């Protein structure tokens, strides 16, 4: 019996060593992972090594990569060792349906299944592709598409329309919203849409390819709509401020001419919409695809086969989180109540006083984390 136990133990030890040897032999390759996650309860995407107080998406991802055997433990402690790079930083509470990270891993068998087994259900790896050795997901990305899901009562006029749950968006108001969103298209100086840049900072100029609001739909008795925006890159708070200003105009707090005023050097008091509805939809690698996508060695970074999985994940985890959180915490309702505090014709001095008053409510929301270029 003792010999039997000993043989079993020796076999088990040998099996573990074989697995370890297999891991060591598995070649390390540069890959990208397609990620989807619900950001509620997380302090954003980017890991803060040494700070366990604020949990991030990358904390859970790195832990799963180590436990699945894709990366050695010391690479988890020092992410530079695996050449890790995320395509876009999403901030507190912000979700993603098409985030991309690039890194070097051991290409073990059933790699996606093994990583997902060590992740919570609200974080999924939906796809994997091999890329060139020097690929960096942040630097090689030509554009990002974000969506912003909001209850349509945000567009109800402050003086006339019925507010909140019974509100339904009419065709004329939707046309007005889209006319205003179209004003952002092209290259403009967005210094008024972030706290990070001055009016003469060249990096405040950004190129927006498209921005529009889709047809409304009803969920849980509340009507919602989704705004899509595609741009080369975004600064911190930029998308939320772009949407916040359009809401302020449609509601009747600000004149349409204020958008034109924002492109000038004068400081304009632009309100920042809540962070809850913001989702990183997809990232675009058009230049990379043209150069390497059909070279016979690499695949284009397109995710047609994963579209269905992305749609299912959004329906299961992202949309319900936005809808239920809106119902419970009323972040849009509370923010709309602060719009009257803003003086859209104020001077910088007046703005500082107003911002101080509004600070308590706006600071409850995370920034959109769209500061793609400020890693």
């Amino acid at each position: 019996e003792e010999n039997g136990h000993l043989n079993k133990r020796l076999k088990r030890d040998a099996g573990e060593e074989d697995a370890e040897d297999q891991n060591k032999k598995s070649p390390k390759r540069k890959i990208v992972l397609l990620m989807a996650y619900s950001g509620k309860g997380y302090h954003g995407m980017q890991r803060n090594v040494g700070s366990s107080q604020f949990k991030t998406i990358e904390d859970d991802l790195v832990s799963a990569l180590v436990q699945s055997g894709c990366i050695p433990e010391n690479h988890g402690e020092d992410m530079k060792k695996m050449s890790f790079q995320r395509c876009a930083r999403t901030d507190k509470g912000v979700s993603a349906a098409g985030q991309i990270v690039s890194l070097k891993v051991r290409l073990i068998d059933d790699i996606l299944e093994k990583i997902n087994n060590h992740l919570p259900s609200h974080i999924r790896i939906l796809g994997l592709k091999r890329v060139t050795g020097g690929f960096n997901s942040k630097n090689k990305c030509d554009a990002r598409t974000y969506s912003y899901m909001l209850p349509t009562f945000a567009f109800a006029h402050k003086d006339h329309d019925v507010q909140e749950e019974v509100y339904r968006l009419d065709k004329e108001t939707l046309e007005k919203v889209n006319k205003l969103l179209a004003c952002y298209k092209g290259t403009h100086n967005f210094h008024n849409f972030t706290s990070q840049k001055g009016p003469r900072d060249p990096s405040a100029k950004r190129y927006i390819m498209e921005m529009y609001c889709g047809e409304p739909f009803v969920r849980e008795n509340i009507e919602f709509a989704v705004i899509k925006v595609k741009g080369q890159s975004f600064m911190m708070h930029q998308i939320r401020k772009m949407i916040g200003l359009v809401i302020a105009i449609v509601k009747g707090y600000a004149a349409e001419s204020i958008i034109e005023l924002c492109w000038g050097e004068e400081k304009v008091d632009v309100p920042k919409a809540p962070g809850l509805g913001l989702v990183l939809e997809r990232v675009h690698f058009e230049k990379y695809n043209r150069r390497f996508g059909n070279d016979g060695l690499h695949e284009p970074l397109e995710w047609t086969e994963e579209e269905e999985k992305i749609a299912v994940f959004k329906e299961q985890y992202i949309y319900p989180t936005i809808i239920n959180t809106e119902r419970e915490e009323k972040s849009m309702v509370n923010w709309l109540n602060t719009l009257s505090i803003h003086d859209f014709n104020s001077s910088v001095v007046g703005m500082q006083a107003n911002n101080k008053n509004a600070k308590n409510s706006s600071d409850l929301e995370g920034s959109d984390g769209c500061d793609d270029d400020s890693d």
Side-chain angles (χ1 to χ4, degrees), residues 149-152 215-219 222-226 323 326:
M149 183 173 168
L150 76 170
T152 58
E215 290 293 325
F217 52 92
V218 176
R219 296 282 174 93
I222 303 176
E223 188 180 67
F224 286 87
V226 174
I323 293 161
E326 182 57 51

Side-chain angles (χ1 to χ4, degrees), residues 269-270 341-342 350-360 362:
D269 185 8
V270 177
I341 296 167
H342 291 268
M351 271 179 60
Q352 285 166 348
N354 287 335
N355 284 343
K356 212 167 187 181
N357 293 335
K359 195 169 177 31
N360 291 338
S362 65

Side-chain angles (χ1 to χ4, degrees), residues 109-163:
D109 294 336
D110 305 318
I111 182 168
L112 289 192
E113 189 185 338
K114 284 175 181 168
I115 299 170
N116 281 325
N117 283 344
H118 294 286
L119 283 169
S121 58
H122 55 266
I123 303 177
R124 292 288 92 178
I125 306 299
L126 302 179
L128 176 153
K129 289 184 193 283
R130 288 274 305 274
V131 285
T132 57
F135 184 87
N136 175 312
S137 60
K138 181 168 153 267
N139 296 346
K140 297 290 180 193
C141 177
D142 335 283
R144 287 101 175 152
T145 296
Y146 284 83
S147 68
Y148 187 86
M149 183 173 168
L150 76 170
T152 58
F153 63 70
F155 297 123
H157 195 280
K158 65 183 175 70
D159 298 331
H160 313 297
D161 294 334
V162 176
Q163 310 290 308

Side-chain angles (χ1 to χ4, degrees), residues 189-199 201 203-206 234-242 267-268 270 272 351 367-368 370-371 373-374:
N189 185 338
F190 282 96
H191 75 95
N192 271 308
F193 295 84
T194 182
S195 54
Q196 296 183 317
K197 313 279 183 189
D201 188 331
S203 66
K205 284 197 172 166
R206 299 289 157 133
F234 299 92
M235 298 175 288
M236 185 174 278
H237 303 157
Q238 183 183 337
I239 294 173
R240 287 167 60 195
K241 280 180 171 272
M242 290 162 77
K267 192 74 180 154
V268 179
V270 177
K272 180 176 68 184
M351 271 179 60
S367 68
D368 44 358
C370 300
D371 45 341
D373 61 345
S374 61

